[in-house]
Amino acid sequence: MTVTSCNIQKPNLGEVIEKYKEFPGSLLDLLHEVQEIDGYLSRDVMQQIAEGLGISESKVYGVATFYSLFKTAPTGQFIIRICESAPCHIRGAQEVLEAIEETLGIKPGETTLDGKFTLEFTSCLGLCGVAPAIMINDQVYGNLTSDRVKEVLLNF
Amino acid sequence: MEMVKVTVDNQQVEVPKGSTILEAAKKVGIKIPTLCYHEDLDVKAMCRICVVEVVGARTLQAACSQPVSDGMVIITNSPAVRRARKINLELLLSNHPQDCLNCVRNQRCELQSLADQLGVQQQRFRPKTKTKSPRDESTAALIRDPEKCILCRRCVEVCHQVQSVGAISPANRGIDTEIAPAGGVDLNDVACVQCGQCSLVCPVGAIYEQDHTERVWSALADSSKHVVVQTAPAIRVSIGEEFGLEPGQVSTGKLVAALRRLGFARVFDTDFTADLTIIEEGHELLERLNKGGTLPMITSCSPGWIKFIEHFYPEYLAHLSTCKSPQQMFGALAKTYYAEKTGIDPKDIYVVSIMPCTAKKYECGRPEMTDSGYADVDAALTTRELAKMIRLAGIDFASLPEEEYDAPLGISTGAAVIFGASGGVMEAALRTVYEVVTEETLASVDFKAVRGLEGIKEAEVDLKGTKVKVAVANGLGNARKLMDLIKEGKADYQFIEIMCCPGGCIGGGGQPIPTTNAIREKRIKAIYDADLGLPLRKSHENPAVKTLYEEFLKKPLGEKSHHLLHTDYTKRGKYPEAANR
Ligand code: SF4
Ligand code: SF4
Ligand code: SF4
Ligand code: FES
Ligand code: FES
């Protein structure tokens, strides 16, 4: 089992902003910590961050959408990140992607109707040794084939 | 200053330490092609069009960002350089709609000119397949077309650093990157002030004004319409640039002649209502000074500034003068006073304004701007749009004769002309307020301390013992600084002039492209030349304004003025659509 953040006391938005206010270069750390609260960064939350740091909301949004680990919309309980970098691509990531799409009925960027899975692309996960690779929340899965990945999904 | 010696294409040149390769090359008469570079903005080095060879360096260097060092040997034109520049450009073009014939920037586009200059003749790379967000036509003033955007980020810098608005930023990454408002929403749903400064620096057709020329052509062709036009003070010193005249020339007479040839029934001048603004606003200031009204009073001529304070400082709206802008005063009078005087039914009068500003399109559509019983102003054309109409009509601008404005709404003074430059409204107001209060004639009407491009200017005037301290800001970043002073209770001014755009209207978002700070300086000089050349230079000496009060308004701040010439403002807040979510 992976440890999910549910077991930890959730931080409070105001307190997190207050904590980082004095450190102008700390937007990334702040966003990480804030995302823990709802699992994604809503417009309201980004506006409050912008207010707190005295920067524009468009800038916060720009940073939040630059990094694939930040979410600006609610996501499923499990986020499947499939690597789209070259080594995984060469070793059959496309096949793995198609298998996931077929099993769950969603495309990258989408969430299953039951709110269980969100599928998205990521760049290299640093797991090229076991390419093609995916991550589901914090858990890593490598050396995948279309059959292997279907099996993995069935266990959720 | 420490100098360094470098060699550019076999020519020796000495430049100050820290100069870029681009600057050094310019000194020996070589113009290295650039795309993302803009002379008034920070170097971004995004496009790599400006690459050159530096002897000893492993790779080609970006000339716009690379500083020279002593003894550097630079080659700006070699097969490798030409090849790299062209490939970089072709890659950009492969991701760009090949749509020049239908594009607002056709023949005035930096990307298109580069394709010509660098010898692009065929599409070698597979054209793009990835589509961007659809065109955003949500605002009254501007259109954004992400498909055409080359991501140079000039607009972002202007919107954040110069205007301190921050309405748009780069969002997403890689091939998905776009310049967008927060949340990817429409521009109209964020606190954009519609100043159009972004459109002024965009090298391509990715941000441009909403077209009003079509509706003006229709009105001109409609025989039941009496179409009148007003020209803002700043047009006369910029329109010539659209027709190849050097920046800094005054073309008032030719401007009038061109408008007459386009078929306008009367050619009037916003300067008339600029003079009127001074009378109304001057009396408003005196009333606030005498009766303890909200001070400092802040000018209200600039619609981008009005939208800015409504979004960012909504709790300070009482500081604004209640005077409408000269554009809106003109519209309200054209459909009342002028209609009565000529016996023309106001429903048949069509008011067009020629403005240096995109935000004027937004202003004339504000729901409260209908005090005449009709839309006070029907169309607001930018300087660029007017030039387009003149070209379409085949009018040879440079060879036009000098003609005069029509009476009565075309009669004005030098005080009105200077409205076009930052500090002008203040200076015009001081000329009048001084003489009204002291009942003495000014020895010199020139208040030079408030002139020029500097961001914030201050002055003090002695009105027979009462000292009045004034401040002038241009560009919203500077306006923000003054507002923060007011917020902190540290502003000891009585009167403040704020213009949204850098340099004032001569640098407005609807002015000819390019508008750089160097060009702004020249237009400013032309404005003060025009003022000097006029027989009357004080608003209260305008005979047509005097007649207007005798025949119609009766007195400044009177009932009619209150109804037609004054307005109120709306608290908008920083996140205008947050409540609808
Ligand atoms: S932006 Fe420039 S290159 Fe692109 S379609 Fe318009 S004119 Fe052509
Ligand atoms: S119009 Fe002005 S405020 Fe709006 S995006 Fe452009 S620069 Fe920013
Ligand atoms: S909209 Fe224009 S100025 Fe802004 S990044 Fe795109 S091309 Fe550059
Ligand atoms: S390329 Fe897929 S993990 Fe590195
Ligand atoms: S002009 Fe130098 S990198 Fe764009």
Side-chain angles (χ1 to χ4, degrees), chain B residues 362-557:
Chain B
Y362 161 78
E363 182 185 48
C364 74
R366 286 177 68 124
E368 66 272 24
M369 293 299 172
T370 52
D371 288 330
S372 65
Y374 305 88
D376 294 338
V377 172
D378 296 282
L381 300 170
T382 61
T383 319
R384 301 191 287 265
E385 283 176 291
L386 173 63
K388 223 192 250 180
M389 290 182 72
I390 295 174
R391 280 193 289 270
L392 176 49
I395 297 167
D396 178 8
F397 188 84
S399 67
L400 286 171
E402 309 275 325
E403 294 185 7
E404 298 280 332
Y405 283 104
D406 290 308
L409 307 188
I411 296 172
S412 67
T413 72
V417 176
I418 60 176
F419 263 59
S422 163
V425 178
M426 178 60 69
E427 180 166 348
L430 292 178
R431 289 180 188 175
T432 286
V433 169
Y434 182 89
E435 296 203 351
V436 168
V437 172
T438 64
E439 293 174 353
E440 283 165 15
T441 307
L442 275 168
S444 159
V445 300
D446 297 334
F447 291 86
K448 293 204 167 134
V450 295
R451 296 183 181 180
L453 264 189
E454 201 189 319
I456 297 178
K457 297 161 278 188
E458 291 179 333
E460 200 174 74
V461 214
D462 192 346
L463 299 177
K464 260 196 176 158
T466 319
K467 290 224 190 321
V468 174
K469 202 171 164 203
V470 304
V472 170
N474 66 93
L476 293 173
N478 296 310
R480 186 181 281 281
K481 287 182 196 150
L482 284 185
M483 288 313 295
D484 287 340
L485 281 184
I486 293 179
K487 216 170 165 171
E488 292 159 18
K490 290 187 190 151
D492 56 348
Y493 312 110
Q494 281 78 46
F495 189 27
I496 296 178
E497 175 204 295
I498 293 182
M499 291 295 156
C500 166
C501 292
C505 309
I506 51 93
Q511 289 284 39
I513 295 171
T515 289
T516 59
N517 287 340
I519 293 175
R520 285 184 169 99
E521 299 270 15
K522 292 184 182 155
R523 293 184 193 149
I524 290 174
K525 185 174 175 301
I527 282 271
Y528 291 106
D529 288 349
D531 167 36
L532 256 185
L534 287 170
L536 297 177
R537 297 181 61 201
K538 299 167 207 161
S539 297
H540 54 288
E541 292 175 351
N542 182 328
V545 169
K546 284 184 194 162
T547 311
L548 170 69
Y549 277 108
E550 280 156 22
E551 291 182 351
F552 188 71
L553 294 173
K554 307 304 175 203
K555 60 171 192 181
L557 308 181

Side-chain angles (χ1 to χ4, degrees), chain A residues 42-51 54-68 123, chain B residues 160-161 165-174 177 180-185 189-190 574-575 577-578 581:
Chain A
S42 69
R43 287 285 304 281
D44 271 340
V45 163
M46 286 190 277
Q47 282 168 9
Q48 287 181 58
I49 293 171
E51 283 303 301
I55 58 180
S56 68
E57 186 201 355
S58 72
K59 197 169 265 172
V60 178
Y61 177 75
V63 172
T65 53
F66 185 83
Y67 295 98
S68 57
S123 43
Chain B
H160 287 251
Q161 264 87 280
V165 171
I168 46 177
S169 287
N172 307 319
R173 78 188 291 164
T177 307
V185 300
D189 291 332
V190 297
K574 251 193 229 177
Y575 307 106
E577 66 21 311
R581 256 198 323 270

Side-chain angles (χ1 to χ4, degrees), chain B residues 142 159 165 167-168 187 192-196 198:
Chain B
L142 294 160
C159 190
V165 171
I168 46 177
L187 194 57
C192 156
V193 304
Q194 306 195 21
C195 65
C198 49

Side-chain angles (χ1 to χ4, degrees), chain A residues 59, chain B residues 36 38-44 152-166 168-170 179 197-198 201:
Chain A
K59 197 169 265 172
Chain B
C36 64
H38 185 285
E39 63 182 68
D40 298 331
L41 301 175
D42 289 344
V43 169
K44 310 201 166 38
C152 70
R153 291 155 166 78
R154 291 181 186 176
C155 56
V156 176
E157 178 177 340
V158 163
C159 190
H160 287 251
Q161 264 87 280
V162 179
Q163 297 297 58
S164 76
V165 171
I168 46 177
S169 287
I179 308 299
Q197 285 298 314
C198 49
V201 294

Side-chain angles (χ1 to χ4, degrees), chain B residues 84-320:
Chain B
R85 284 179 186 164
K86 192 167 167 188
I87 289 179
N88 289 346
L89 182 63
E90 285 176 305
L91 285 170
L92 257 175
L93 289 172
S94 74
N95 202 18
H96 188 85
Q98 314 278 314
D99 190 28
C100 300
L101 287 180
N102 304 312
C103 183
V104 62
R105 291 292 290 273
N106 191 14
Q107 300 200 34
R108 2 184 76 74
C109 169
E110 293 181 40
L111 184 63
Q112 192 188 44
S113 316
L114 272 179
D116 173 56
Q117 190 191 348
L118 301 190
V120 174
Q121 299 208 313
Q122 60 174 342
Q123 212 175 340
R124 286 197 298 147
F125 299 113
R126 188 164 52 86
K128 61 186 227 134
T129 45
K130 188 96 192 167
T131 52
K132 299 265 164 115
S133 298
R135 207 179 343 221
D136 175 359
E137 305 191 359
S138 61
T139 68
L142 294 160
I143 296 177
R144 295 189 320 114
D145 188 351
E147 290 285 359
K148 298 239 169 94
C149 173
I150 56 158
L151 300 172
C152 70
R153 291 155 166 78
R154 291 181 186 176
C155 56
V156 176
E157 178 177 340
V158 163
C159 190
H160 287 251
Q161 264 87 280
V162 179
Q163 297 297 58
S164 76
V165 171
I168 46 177
S169 287
N172 307 319
R173 78 188 291 164
I175 188 84
D176 296 319
T177 307
E178 281 183 20
I179 308 299
V185 300
D186 284 344
L187 194 57
N188 206 38
D189 291 332
V190 297
C192 156
V193 304
Q194 306 195 21
C195 65
Q197 285 298 314
C198 49
S199 74
L200 217 45
V201 294
C202 182
V204 293
I207 309 187
Y208 54 97
E209 65 270 57
Q210 288 273 8
D211 175 73
H212 280 193
T213 63
E214 279 306 323
R215 64 177 80 165
V216 174
W217 285 121
S218 307
L220 285 170
D222 183 344
S223 56
S224 70
K225 291 262 178 275
H226 179 78
V227 188
V228 302
V229 63
Q230 55 168 323
T231 63
I235 311 299
R236 65 209 70 199
V237 299
S238 65
I239 182 83
E241 293 166 32
E242 286 278 347
F243 302 97
L245 300 183
E246 275 298 307
Q249 300 196 29
V250 185
S251 339
T252 319
K254 289 188 194 306
L255 170 64
V256 174
L259 290 165
R260 234 173 238 135
R261 278 153 188 73
L262 283 174
F264 289 100
R266 291 287 180 280
V267 182
F268 290 140
D269 200 351
T270 316
D271 286 19
F272 170 79
T273 37
D275 278 331
L276 180 62
T277 301
I278 289 302
I279 307 299
E280 291 287 323
E281 202 166 84
H283 281 87
E284 188 185 357
L285 176 65
L286 292 176
E287 196 177 274
R288 291 195 192 201
L289 285 169
N290 295 334
K291 296 197 185 153
T294 307
L295 291 172
M297 183 177 90
I298 314 178
T299 57
S300 54
C301 314
S302 169
W305 150 242
I306 296 298
K307 199 161 187 281
F308 180 83
I309 186 173
E310 289 178 331
H311 282 301
F312 295 97
Y313 296 89
E315 59 284 25
Y316 293 91
L317 296 179
H319 286 269
L320 287 175

